[in-house]
Amino acid sequence: MFNPKKLKRSSHPVMFFIYLSLLVIIVSGIASALNFQVTYDKLTTIAGEVESTTISVNSLLSIDGIKFLMTSAYNNLIDFVPFGSLLIAAISFGIAYKSGFLKTFCNKITSKVPRALVIFIYSLLCILSSIDNNVGYVLLLPLGAVLFMSMNRNPIGGLALGFASIASGHGAGLFITSLDYNLTSYTEASAKLLDADYTALQSGNIIFTVAASLLIAGICTFVTEKIVSRKLGRNTIEEEEEYVLEEAKEKKGLIASLIATVICLIPIIFMILPVGNGIFGLLLDKSQDVYSKMLFSSDSLLMTNLVGIVSFIFAVQGLVFGIITGTIKRIRDMVNFSTDYLKSIGGIFVLIFFAAQLNALLTESNIGIVVTGSLANLISVSNFSFIPLVLLILIFTMASNILLPGSVAKWAILAPNIMPVVMKANITPEFSQLVFRAGDSITNSITPLFTYFVIFIGFVEVYMKNKADFSIKKCYQTVFPYFLGIAIIWIIMIICWYIIGLPIGPGIYPTV
C-alpha cells in the first residue's frame, strides 16, 4: 500500500556516495570528450626548478576507465587510510568503553569542571590532533560522543564539535609539525623563482596558528553552547548498563588506570628522546637535524604509528580499570567488549567502502588537479593586490579543496603559480602560505570528498536514535554552524593581521 510518509524519508548516505561516484564517472567522460585540460608550472625538485605540465581529465567511460572500475574496488578499500586506522582504534576503544573506563572518566571530569571549559579543552585537543589526522578522527570523535552523553547532551553534538574542530582547524596548532615542513619546502622553492636567496622558516606561521587554535576552540565552544546543544537537546541514547559500580571501586579503577598510563608513557618518552642509542630515540626520524623535525616528520615512527600507540594506551586503561572494578574477569570479556563495539559501529565500514570508491574515482579522473591548476592560473594572471588578492587566494583555495583535499598536493600546484604575483604585491611568501592553510582548512568539514568525512557521518548513524531519519542532510545541518563560525574566524584573523601588520611568526610579517 502506498505510504506518503515514506516519501519524506531521506536516502541513506550510502546512496549519496553512489550518486557522487556516478556523477564523477559521467563528468569525467564529458570533460575528457571536450578535451578539458590544464597547463601549469610544476616544481620538479625541491631546489626550485619548474617545468610546464599539462594534465587532462581521464575518462572513466573509456576502456581503461571501465577496466579500472571493474578491478580496483578491493585495492581502493585497502588503500583508504581511515579503513585500517578505524579498525585498529575500534578494538581498543571498545575495551576502554565497554569496561566502563571512558564513561566513568568522563562523568568525573564533567561533574567537577565547568562544561564550557570541558568543551573548550576538547575542541582544542581536537585541533592539536591535526599532527596526525587519524588519531583525531578515529579516537577523539567517539570520545566526544561519550563526553557529551556524560553531560546529558546529545552525543551527535560531540561528534560535530570534534569533526569541525579537527577538519576546519587543520591549519592551526600549537606546534611546528610535518605540515609546516612540507608546505614550507614548496613555499621556499617557489619564492626562489623571484629571489634566489630567499629562505622560508618552518616557524613562519607559528604565532598566527597558536592564536587561531585558541580562537577556533573559543568559537566552537560558543556555537556548541548557544546553537548546537540547544537545537539537538538532551541525550536520547539509552545505553546498556551492563555493570553498576560502587563509587569506591570506580575511584580505585581510575587511579589504577592512571598509574598504568604513566607506566606506558615512560618507555614512549624514552623513545622520543634525541640522545643515545637503543631504545632512546627509537620513534624519531634520525635523518633530520632538528628535534621537532625528528619528532613530527612524516617518516618518524611516532607519526606513522601514533594511532597504534594511542590505541594501545586506551586498551591498557580499559583493561586495568576492568580488572580492578571487576568488569573484566577473563580474557574472553575483553574480546567480547571489542566484538560488541565493532558490531555497533559496523555500518561505518559499509560507508567506508563506498567512500573509498568515490575517492579513488576522483583521483583517477584528475578532475581535482585540473580544477586546482585552472584556479592557480587564474590567480597568476590576476591584477589584484592587497586584500583583494588575499581574498582571491583564500576563496580559490577553499573551492579547490572541495575537489582536491590534501594540503601538500594542492600547495605543490598553487605555490609556484601564485608566488610571483604574491611577492610582486609585497606580500611575504609565508603569509600566502598562511592564507592557503586557512582556505585549505575551512572547507574540509563540508566536502564529502574529504577522506575523513565518512568517519563523521558513520558515527552520526551510530548515535542516531531513529535510524530511519539518518541522512546526509542531517549531518550537514549539524556541522554547518561550526563551519560558518570557524570560517568567519579564519577570515577575520587574516584580514586583521594583514591590515594591522601583526607578526605571523618570529620576525615574519604579512608584508615586506
Side-chain angles (χ1 to χ4, degrees), residues 374-388:
S374 300
L375 293 176
N377 287 338
L378 289 176
I379 297 175
S380 67
V381 298
S382 69
N383 294 319
F384 291 163
S385 60
F386 307 113
I387 291 180

Side-chain angles (χ1 to χ4, degrees), residues 25-249:
I25 293 171
I26 294 171
V27 170
S28 72
I30 295 174
S32 179
L34 295 175
N35 196 29
F36 273 31
Q37 60 182 24
V38 64
T39 300
Y40 60 92
D41 290 334
K42 179 180 179 181
L43 285 167
T44 56
T45 68
I46 206 63
E49 297 178 5
V50 296
E51 66 177 12
S52 183
T53 302
T54 300
I55 299 292
S56 303
V57 174
N58 291 331
S59 174
L60 296 173
L61 295 175
S62 63
I63 297 300
D64 289 339
I66 293 173
K67 181 180 178 180
F68 178 81
L69 291 172
M70 297 181 65
T71 61
S72 65
Y74 172 79
N75 288 332
N76 294 343
L77 177 61
I78 297 301
D79 294 338
F80 196 62
V81 176
F83 174 66
S85 299
L86 180 62
L87 185 59
I88 293 171
I91 293 173
S92 59
F93 193 90
I95 298 171
Y97 179 61
K98 293 288 185 177
S99 67
F101 168 72
L102 288 179
K103 289 188 283 187
T104 302
F105 177 76
C106 290
N107 285 335
K108 294 294 183 182
I109 293 294
T110 55
S111 64
K112 296 180 179 180
V113 180
R115 293 185 175 183
L117 181 59
V118 171
I119 292 171
F120 177 84
I121 293 174
Y122 171 70
S123 177
L124 185 60
L125 184 62
C126 287
I127 294 169
L128 300 185
S129 73
S130 62
I131 60 173
D132 180 83
N133 281 333
N134 292 315
V135 171
Y137 293 109
V138 300
L139 286 170
L140 291 184
L141 247 63
L143 179 61
V146 178
L147 190 65
F148 268 54
M149 286 190 290
S150 70
M151 296 187 287
N152 195 28
R153 293 184 177 183
N154 194 314
I156 294 176
L159 295 173
L161 168 63
F163 177 68
S165 298
I166 304 170
S168 290
H170 173 69
L174 302 183
F175 312 104
I176 299 173
T177 66
S178 59
L179 178 64
D180 294 275
Y181 302 129
N182 292 330
L183 294 183
T184 301
S185 64
Y186 285 102
T187 301
E188 180 175 304
S190 300
K192 287 182 181 293
L193 297 175
L194 272 74
D195 183 353
D197 298 325
Y198 196 91
T199 300
L201 301 177
Q202 284 82 18
S203 59
N205 293 160
I206 189 64
I207 294 176
F208 186 99
T209 57
V210 168
S213 299
L214 299 175
L215 289 175
I216 290 173
I219 193 64
C220 285
T221 302
F222 176 83
V223 170
T224 300
E225 294 290 88
K226 300 300 181 181
I227 301 175
V228 175
S229 291
R230 293 181 179 182
K231 181 179 179 181
L232 293 176
R234 296 183 178 276
N235 177 33
T236 57
I237 302 297
E238 296 180 2
E239 297 184 86
E240 296 181 6
E241 291 292 342
E242 299 179 9
Y243 305 99
V244 178
L245 302 176
E246 298 176 1
E247 187 174 351
K249 281 189 174 182

Side-chain angles (χ1 to χ4, degrees), residues 251-288:
K251 185 176 181 180
K252 289 181 180 179
L254 287 176
I255 293 174
S257 297
L258 178 61
I259 295 172
T261 302
V262 173
I263 293 174
C264 288
L265 289 176
I266 289 174
I268 295 175
I269 292 173
F270 286 147
M271 292 179 192
I272 61 173
L273 292 177
V275 294
N277 295 310
I279 191 174
F280 290 97
L282 184 65
L283 297 178
L284 300 177
D285 179 6
K286 294 186 178 180
S287 65
Q288 302 293 338

